[in-house]
Each structure stands twice: as C-alpha cells, then as structure tokens.
C-alpha cells in the first residue's frame, strides 16, 4: 500500500462477530411484534409455530451467507456478491436501495423506538409524549452513535458487545419472570393452545412477516467480513452461535409473554414487555421495561450504522456511489464520509418523511435481494467450482431459500400491491440513475471536477484518504 493511504484494519474477533450478529438482530422487534404474530395466527400454539418457522428460515439463510462470506471474505456484503456474480447493475440496485432507503429508514425507526421507551419513565406509562421530544432524542441518538462509529471502529464493536450482553440480561430477566409466574401454577394461558388458529393463508403470511422482521440482521456480519481477523473460521461460527442464541431467546421470550399475559391483554397492549413486567413485579416494571427495550434498540441501531457505513464505502470504491464516500479517516481507519452520509439520511427520514409505507416494503426489498444472494451460491457452484469454500452449505438449503424468497416476495406483492409497486418504481429509477450517472453523466468534465473538488475538500478538512480496498 502506498504511503499515506488509509486502510480498514482487520480487528473483529469471534466474540465481536457474535456480538454484531446478536446485537444486529435483537432490536425492538421481539418487544413489539409478538402481539401482531398472535393476532394473525389466532392462537398461542400457532404463534409459537410461526416463531419457530421464522427462526428456522432465518437460520437457513444465515448458513447460506456463511458460504458467501467465507468464499468471498470482503467487506460489502451483497454488493460484493452481486458485483461478482451478476454484474455492476444488480450490485448498484442493491446499494441504491440499501443506502438510500433500507438502512437509513431502519436506523431512524430503531432510534425512534429507543427514544419512545427511554423517555417513558419521565412521563409515565400512559402519558402522551410530544412527538417533537421523541424525534429530538432519536436525532441525538443517531448523532452520538455516528460520532462513535466515526472515531473508533473498536469502540463501535465494544458498544455492540456490551449492549448485546445487556440485551441478553434483559431477556434472561424477562424469561425468569415468566418461569416464576408459571411456577406459581399460572399456566392456564396454554390451555387449548391451538384453539381458534387461523385457517386463512393471508393471515398466516402476515403473521410470518411479523415474525421474520425481528430476525432481520443475520446478514450484517457479511458486510464487514473484510475486517475479521480470521473470516474463514470465525464468520460461520459467529453466525451459527449467534443465530442459535437469538432463536432460543425469542422462543423463551414468547413463552414468558404467553405465561404472564392472557391473549386478550397481549392483543391490546403496545408495550408487551412493560405490561408483563408490571404484572409480575409491579411499579418497578415501569422503569425496567423501558430501560430494557431502549438498551436493545441502542445496540441494534449501532450495528445498523456500523454496517451501512461499510457498504457505502465499498460501493464508492466500485464506482457505484460518489467517490467521496470511499474516503477513510487516516487516524481512525473508519469510513468517515459514508457514515456521515447515512447519518444525514437517517435524520432526514426521521424528521421529514412518513415512514409507514416504507416499513411495509421493507420485507419486499429485503427478501428480493436475499433471493438474489441465495441464487448467487448456485451460480458460483457452476461458474467457479474451484473457488475455495471454507464453509459449504448444502445445495438443497440454498435452492430451498431461493424458492422461499420468491414466495415471500410474491406474497408481499399480493398483500401490499401499491407499496410494492412503489418499491419497483424506485428500482426502475435506480436503473435510470445507473445508466445516466454511473455510466455516463459522471464522465463529463464538469461533474468530474466537482467530484474531485469535493474529495479534496473532505481530505483537507477531516484528514481523510482512500483505502486500499479490502487490505489486511
């Protein structure tokens, strides 16, 4: 590497990897969606079956990503896989969707959930908190986490590890409350567990999407595979251990909810963890419940910001995003500009845009691109059979995940046609941007000069330089 050139250092251990997986997955979902899954499934037994099925599907997907992450151990996740297997346009469309919508919206929603729960003890359980207060606290959370990620990758992973541990403590406490409650003989909520189970495929699909959402994030570690010290060994172990831990936590959490709260109370509540704790330990639950949820959201938001910054940097190196996003801080070795870019977008979505429709198409975008990654495994087996694969998933699992992704996308399109058509329109706009901007317009001398000037200005002001892509 030439002198003066910055590099993203390999610093992630197996423990860090497990922390990123668990921290990226366990966010607000397990505290917010169980009532939705129960509502759509119709019964406690059916709801638990849906949670198990969602966990198994997510585990299969994670195993597929283990092969991709170990045979292509580069930072950037799906962008790298699409670039190698399908070419630059699909890779650009993934990055276009992830960086401009999926990641900033996800970060904004997680931080908004964090603020709503973090501020709850100061207002009371049933008080109405002004939206401006929630938005300001969420904005502060986004800014603080971005600053930490800009200044130190090690501090960012330390936050991931620490808050992952706190999340597990919170879940363990909730599970113990459920065990203690059931130990007193309160098991009546499990009587006739499958009574009134839904027979509607539409309701089942909606419930399944509700259960899949809390598992989102099992692909985060692939975004930073190039920063792992030993990706061939540690990446699959981190993903497998992390996923098993998450599935166990989610099943035990739901069992605790169902043991403590009757079906009618679960369907009515908007804060299931708080209500469950209040019922068992009284007023202390009003403090511990919001604290646990806020802690979980903080760690998940940190993981979202950490990984999105690396994807933006990789895309810029490939020429799919403005060159300035590829700049890395000379001292801190972090993707400084890409992180700032994600911060600005997240705050913009938080303050300016109604994200309800974007939440509905989150699953559409996610599973459409997941399906492409699963198919990339099949293609690579055919086109690059000699490629070294430290971890090799069973081909039947990869083919099954291709089919599952297709069915989920079709189901999403049938359930939310207008929102998904909007998502398709956004992708088509990305095609136009690719041919006009990436392949054509940026070649003009005026825009090239503007791009170079922005790079030079950023380098001078923030002590930035270009990274040798995926250097050790």
């Amino acid at each position: 590497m030439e002198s003066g050139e910055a590099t993203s250092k390999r610093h992630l251990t197996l423990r860090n990897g497990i922390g990123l997986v668990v921290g990226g997955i366990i966010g607000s979902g397990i505290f917010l969606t169980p009532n939705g899954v129960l509502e759509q499934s119709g019964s406690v037994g059916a709801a638990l079956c849906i949670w198990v099925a969602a966990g198994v599907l997510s585990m299969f997907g994670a195993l597929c990503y283990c092969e991709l992450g170990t045979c292509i151990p580069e930072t950037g996740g799906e962008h790298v896989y699409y670039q190698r297997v399908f070419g630059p346009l699909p890779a650009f469309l993934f990055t276009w969707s992830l960086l401009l919508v999926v990641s900033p919206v996800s970060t904004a929603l997680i931080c908004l959930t964090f603020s709503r729960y973090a501020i709850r003890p100061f207002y009371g359980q049933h008080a109405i908190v002004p939206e401006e207060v929630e938005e300001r606290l969420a904005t502060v959370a986004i800014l603080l986490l971005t600053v930490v990620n800009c200044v130190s990758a090690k501090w960012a992973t330390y936050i991931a590890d620490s808050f992952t541990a706190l999340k597990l403590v919170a879940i363990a406490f909730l599970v113990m409350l459920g065990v203690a409650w059931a130990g007193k003989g309160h098991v009546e909520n499990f009587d006739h567990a499958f009574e009134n189970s839904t027979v509607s495929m539409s309701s089942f699909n909606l419930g399944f999407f509700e259960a899949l959402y809390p598992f989102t994030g099992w692909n985060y570690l692939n975004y930073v595979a190039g920063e792992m010290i030993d990706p061939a060994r540690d990446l699959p172990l981190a993903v497998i251990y992390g996923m098993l831990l998450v599935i166990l936590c989610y099943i035990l959490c739901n069992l605790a909810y169902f043991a403590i709260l009757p079906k009618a109370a679960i369907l009515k509540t908007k804060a299931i963890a708080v209500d469950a704790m209040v019922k068992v330990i009284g007023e202390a639950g009003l403090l511990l419940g919001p604290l646990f949820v806020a802690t979980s959201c903080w760690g998940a938001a940190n993981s979202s910001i950490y990984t999105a910054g690396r994807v933006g940097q990789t895309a810029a190196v490939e020429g799919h995003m403005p060159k300035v996003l590829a700049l890395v801080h000379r001292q801190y070795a972090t993707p400084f500009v890409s992180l700032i870019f994600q911060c600005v977008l997240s705050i913009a979505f938080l303050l300016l845009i109604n994200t309800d429709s974007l939440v509905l198409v989150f699953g559409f975008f996610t599973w459409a691109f997941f399906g492409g990654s699963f198919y990339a495994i099949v293609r690579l087996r055919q086109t690059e059979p000699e490629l070294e694969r430290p971890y090799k998933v069973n081909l039947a699992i990869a083919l099954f995940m291709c089919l599952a992704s297709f069915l989920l996308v079709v189901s999403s399109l049938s359930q939310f046609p207008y929102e998904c058509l909007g998502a398709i329109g956004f992708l088509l706009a990305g095609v136009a941007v690719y041919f006009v901007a990436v392949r054509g317009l940026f070649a003009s001398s005026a825009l090239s000069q503007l791009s170079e000037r922005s790079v030079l200005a950023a380098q001078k002001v923030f002590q930035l330089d270009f990274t040798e892509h995926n250097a050790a």
Side-chain angles (χ1 to χ4, degrees), residues 19 28 31 46-47 81 89 105 110 123 139 142 206 213 220 233 256 283-284 303 322 361 389 393 428 438:
S28 59
F31 302 110
Y81 313 146
L89 177 57
V105 166
I110 294 171
Y123 280 82
T139 300
I142 294 171
L206 287 173
Y213 175 74
Y220 278 2
R233 182 184 74 91
E283 293 296 317
S303 294
V361 301
R389 293 174 171 86
V393 72
L428 292 176
V438 176

Side-chain angles (χ1 to χ4, degrees), residues 3 5 32 144 227 273 313 316 318 412 420:
S3 179
E5 196 175 51
L32 298 175
L144 284 176
E227 296 182 36
Q313 177 201 7
E318 298 289 345
S412 182
C420 290

Side-chain angles (χ1 to χ4, degrees), residues 67-416:
E67 176 169 332
L68 289 170
T70 53
C71 70
I72 310 175
E74 302 176 13
T75 295
E78 289 94 338
H79 174 86
V80 176
Y81 313 146
Y82 274 60
Q83 175 78 15
R84 181 162 180 163
V85 178
F86 305 121
L89 177 57
F92 173 80
L93 291 178
F94 165 76
T95 305
W96 165 260
S97 303
L98 181 73
L99 295 182
L100 298 186
V101 176
V102 177
S103 286
V105 166
S106 176
T107 300
L109 289 175
I110 294 171
C111 286
L112 185 59
T113 305
F114 160 81
S115 70
R116 287 174 177 171
Y117 277 86
I119 207 168
R120 178 60 56 188
F122 300 98
Y123 280 82
Q125 184 180 11
H126 302 294
I128 298 176
V129 181
E131 288 186 6
E132 313 86 68
V133 176
E134 294 176 344
E135 291 175 350
R136 288 170 186 169
L137 182 56
T139 300
V140 171
I142 294 171
L143 290 171
L144 284 176
L145 285 171
T146 300
V147 168
V148 170
N149 276 270
C150 285
V151 170
S152 174
K154 287 187 177 181
W155 270 101
T157 54
Y158 176 77
I159 288 177
D161 293 344
S162 301
F163 278 85
T164 295
L166 290 174
K167 290 179 191 183
L168 297 178
V169 169
I171 290 175
F173 181 75
L174 181 60
V175 170
M176 285 190 293
L177 291 182
V179 171
W181 189 256
K184 294 180 179 179
H186 299 294
V187 294
E188 63 276 3
N189 294 337
F190 295 103
D191 294 339
H192 311 292
F194 288 91
E195 187 176 0
N196 297 321
S197 296
T198 184
V199 294
S200 167
M201 184 57 67
S202 174
S203 295
F204 176 83
N205 288 340
L206 287 173
F208 196 59
F209 271 113
E210 291 262 15
L212 281 173
Y213 175 74
F215 284 100
T216 302
W218 43 260
N219 59 322
Y220 278 2
L221 195 57
N222 289 61
Y223 294 155
V224 294
E227 296 182 36
M228 299 194 75
I229 296 173
D230 187 2
R233 182 184 74 91
D234 291 346
L235 189 144
L237 289 176
V239 170
I240 291 171
Y241 292 158
M243 281 302 302
L244 289 174
L245 188 56
V246 169
I247 292 171
L248 178 63
C249 287
Y250 282 7
I251 299 301
L252 292 177
C253 256
N254 276 279
L255 287 171
Y257 293 148
F258 296 146
I260 297 170
L261 298 173
K263 178 180 175 181
I266 293 175
L267 294 178
K268 186 171 63 175
T269 184
K270 293 184 178 180
I272 187 170
V274 175
D275 287 359
M277 290 186 185
V278 168
K279 185 170 182 178
V280 179
I281 61 176
E283 293 296 317
L286 294 178
L287 175 62
L288 291 178
L291 177 64
F292 286 165
V293 177
T295 297
S296 182
C297 292
W298 184 265
N302 176 73
S303 294
S304 177
I305 292 170
Y306 183 95
T307 53
R310 271 71 184 170
V311 175
Q313 177 201 7
T314 301
V317 170
E318 298 289 345
H320 287 176
M321 283 288 157
K323 190 177 180 181
V324 68
L325 295 184
L327 290 172
V328 173
H329 199 281
R330 292 171 189 162
Q331 179 181 352
Y332 305 132
T334 56
F336 194 89
V337 180
S338 183
L339 288 166
I340 298 298
F341 178 67
Q342 282 295 301
C343 175
V344 172
L345 285 178
S346 298
I347 294 174
F349 277 118
L350 176 70
L351 300 178
L352 303 176
I353 298 182
N354 186 331
T355 57
D356 289 344
S357 295
L358 295 173
V359 172
L360 291 177
V361 301
F362 181 87
F364 178 85
F365 272 122
T366 300
W367 283 97
F369 286 111
F370 280 168
S373 296
F374 301 141
Y375 181 62
I377 295 175
V378 180
R379 282 286 301 274
L380 283 171
R381 295 278 184 94
Q382 296 172 339
T383 59
E384 300 185 45
E386 75 290 345
L387 185 65
E388 184 180 356
R389 293 174 171 86
Y391 177 87
K392 194 172 184 179
V393 72
N394 190 301
L395 188 59
I397 292 179
L399 292 172
F400 171 76
M401 290 306 298
C402 289
L403 176 61
S405 300
F406 174 77
L407 293 176
L408 286 168
V409 169
V410 171
S411 174
S412 182
L413 186 59
S414 64
Q415 294 290 328
F416 313 113

